């Protein structure tokens, strides 16, 4: 799409925004890293949502092709394409929500922390764009290591004097999606009825499923608890190994990312009672300034943090075990911003 037509469309959208009496169906969502393994299927799911009037796609490569392709789908969401740093402004201006899957994925044998060297700089650059061009948007970080990229984003917003801890989220929804699936399959339950909170962070032992709080109530043997917890913690690695060098989870992540975005948008438009787990600034565990717990979402982001609830002895041990690792990951993100 040529730049002129794109600008016309953006300016038309902005006019429509001013004329509108309600924000319903008038939300702009920007996807940064839109041409990637997650970005493409995520954008496909978002294009189908009546909640989104404008889907702005940004990547350093291949964005025009992805945007042209999606723009032929007969839904009312307008798609615009933005490539290269100067166009980041147009992608982010007036955005209500930004989702960031930009960054490299793992290969077999790597930890998420091994991605830090490359992804920390990418996230810092994109977070700076968000702080400058759409400081009031909801920011949803998918890029790994989430345990560090969320603190990096928060620090960038603080440096720019626009930090709102209620609006910056590390997307951990895939852990919940996996926990629900694995428990439903192992206990022969209807997966649509299963809901498992997953707290902590998003890497290895920092992922802590609270199986004692499963809905509906389920009894697990000690062996089942260990097997299921370990599988949920290693599920990302399961996919990385199965893809054998071709990346990590993309399709299930797109599904999970879309679920999280839709929850936030519905809450932003006034729907009540919407809750999701996410990795956010937190005081739930005093040693950890960021932590994932179930959150009530509202018009301005986090309306209430539900905390940990009652933990089983097994989960208390898991919590103790994750604190040193998660603390290190968070500190690494905070330090990166100060010294890089
Ligand atoms: P990918 O390599 O397929 O796609 C990444 C995209 O980011 C590419 O299109 C690339 O061009 C783009 N990109 C790189 N630098 C950029 C920049 N500066 N600005 C804009 N775009 C840029 O990777 P993927 O499989 O889509 O995974 C992306 C990230 O998501 C990885 O870090 C991965 O570990 C992470 N991930 C997180 C979760 C989660 O649960 N939070 C789940 C799966 C993957
Ligand atoms: C996942 O959980 O699938 C993602 O964090 C990607 C990865 O590297 O495992």
């Amino acid at each position: 799409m040529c730049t002129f037509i794109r600008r016309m469309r953006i300016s038309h959208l902005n006019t429509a925004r001013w004329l509108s009496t309600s924000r319903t169906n008038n939300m702009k969502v920007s996807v940064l890293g839109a041409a990637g393994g997650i970005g493409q299927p995520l954008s496909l799911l978002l294009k189908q949502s009546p909640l989104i009037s404008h889907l702005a796609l940004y990547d350093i490569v291949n964005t025009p092709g992805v945007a042209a392709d999606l723009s032929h789908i007969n839904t009312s969401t307008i798609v615009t394409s933005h490539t290269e740093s100067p166009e980041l402004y147009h992608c982010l201006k007036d955005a209500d929500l930004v989702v960031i899957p930009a960054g490299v994925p793992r290969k077999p044998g790597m930890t998420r922390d091994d991605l830090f060297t490359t992804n920390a700089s990418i996230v810092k650059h994109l977070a700076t764009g968000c702080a400058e061009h759409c400081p009031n948007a909801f920011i949803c970080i998918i890029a790994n290591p989430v345990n560090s990229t969320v603190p990096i984003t928060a620090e960038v917003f603080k440096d720019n004097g626009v930090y709102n801890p209620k609006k910056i989220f590390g997307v951990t929804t895939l852990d919940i999606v996996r926990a629900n699936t694995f428990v439903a399959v192992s206990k022969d339950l209807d997966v649509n009825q299963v809901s498992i909170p997953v707290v902590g962070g998003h890497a290895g032992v920092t992922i802590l499923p609270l199986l004692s709080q499963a809905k509906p109530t389920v009894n697990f043997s000690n062996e089942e608890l260990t097997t299921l917890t370990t599988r949920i913690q290693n599920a990302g690695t399961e996919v990385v190994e199965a893809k054998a060098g071709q990346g990590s989870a993309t399709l299930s992540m797109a599904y999970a990312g879309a679920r999280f975005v839709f929850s936030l948008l519905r809450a932003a438009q006034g729907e009540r009672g919407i809750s999701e787990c996410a990795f956010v600034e937190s005081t739930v565990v005093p040693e950890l300034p960021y932590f994932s717990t179930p959150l009530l979402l509202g018009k301005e982001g986090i309306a209430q943090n539900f905390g940990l609830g009652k933990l089983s002895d097994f989960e208390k041990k898991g919590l103790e075990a994750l604190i040193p690792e998660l603390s290190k990951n968070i500190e690494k993100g905070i330090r990166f911003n100060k010294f890089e």
Side-chain angles (χ1 to χ4, degrees):
M1 189 190 314
C2 77
T3 306
F4 175 71
I5 294 174
R6 200 167 56 237
R7 292 226 172 101
M8 290 278 289
R9 286 192 173 177
I10 290 170
S11 99
H12 164 75
L13 263 164
N14 291 340
T15 310
R17 184 181 299 263
W18 287 115
L19 291 174
S20 170
T21 51
S22 149
R23 288 172 68 85
T24 306
N25 296 336
N26 198 23
M27 308 289 268
K28 175 175 175 180
V29 172
S30 305
V31 182
L32 312 184
I38 296 166
Q40 292 199 38
L42 173 61
S43 301
L44 172 62
L45 294 171
L46 299 180
K47 170 74 171 100
Q48 296 171 64
S49 172
L51 295 167
I52 302 170
S53 57
H54 180 180
L55 185 60
L57 307 183
Y58 176 84
D59 203 303
I60 49 174
V61 289
N62 300 335
T63 335
V66 174
D69 192 354
L70 286 175
S71 72
H72 291 184
I73 296 172
N74 59 333
T75 60
S76 56
T77 308
I78 286 175
V79 179
T80 56
S81 161
H82 313 268
T83 311
E84 316 247 328
S85 281
E87 293 189 27
L88 189 56
Y89 164 77
H90 296 291
C91 178
L92 294 176
K93 188 174 179 298
D94 296 325
D96 296 291
L97 186 151
V98 183
V99 54
I100 309 186
V104 293
R106 285 199 284 164
K107 289 190 187 311
M110 292 173 81
T111 65
R112 292 177 182 81
D113 187 55
D114 292 334
L115 303 173
F116 187 94
T117 328
T118 309
N119 289 354
S121 309
I122 294 174
V123 170
K124 184 172 178 178
H125 169 68
L126 297 174
T128 303
C130 295
E132 289 173 353
H133 308 314
C134 57
N136 296 319
F138 299 110
I139 310 294
C140 306
I141 308 289
I142 290 175
N144 270 316
V146 167
N147 293 355
S148 306
T149 51
V150 169
I152 290 173
T153 304
E155 291 298 315
V156 166
F157 272 64
K158 285 178 197 171
D159 287 350
N160 282 271
V162 291
Y163 181 50
N164 180 352
K166 294 186 182 334
K167 287 193 156 184
I168 294 180
F169 303 88
V171 182
T172 60
T173 321
L174 182 53
D175 299 319
I176 289 86
V177 164
R178 288 167 170 159
N180 293 348
T181 305
F182 300 163
V183 167
V185 170
S186 88
K187 290 293 193 180
D188 201 17
L189 298 168
D190 174 0
V191 72
N192 298 303
Q193 303 301 319
V194 177
S195 170
I196 317 278
V198 181
V199 302
H202 178 69
V205 295
T206 73
I207 299 169
L208 182 62
L210 301 183
L211 296 170
S212 70
Q213 296 178 23
K215 284 191 189 128
T217 307
V218 193
N219 289 319
F220 299 98
S221 67
N222 287 343
E223 194 190 337
E224 284 174 323
L225 277 181
T226 308
T227 307
L228 278 166
T229 301
T230 308
R231 180 156 187 225
I232 294 161
Q233 290 174 332
N234 291 334
T237 307
E238 196 179 295
V239 178
V240 169
E241 284 169 0
K243 290 198 173 180
Q246 299 305 309
S248 55
T250 53
L251 304 174
S252 50
M253 182 59 236
Y255 170 85
R259 165 177 152 172
F260 188 73
V261 167
F262 296 149
S263 289
L264 260 181
L265 293 181
R266 283 164 52 211
Q269 294 186 350
E271 197 174 322
R272 288 168 181 268
I274 297 180
S275 162
E276 292 284 355
C277 293
F279 187 66
V280 298
E281 186 183 293
S282 173
T283 54
V284 168
V285 178
E287 299 93 322
L288 300 169
Y290 298 88
F291 199 79
S292 179
T293 39
L295 309 167
L296 180 69
L297 303 174
K299 285 189 176 178
E300 296 302 320
I302 303 171
Q304 189 184 340
N305 190 323
F306 290 120
L308 283 167
K310 190 170 177 316
L311 301 186
S312 67
D313 289 343
F314 181 83
E315 290 155 2
K316 282 181 192 158
K317 281 195 199 124
L319 179 60
E320 283 307 309
L322 72 77
I323 290 174
E325 177 68 17
L326 186 49
S327 172
K328 213 170 53 188
N329 297 159
I330 293 169
E331 194 46 41
K332 191 169 175 178
I334 295 172
R335 264 203 331 267
F336 175 80
N337 208 58
K338 286 208 170 72
F339 301 118
E340 300 292 324

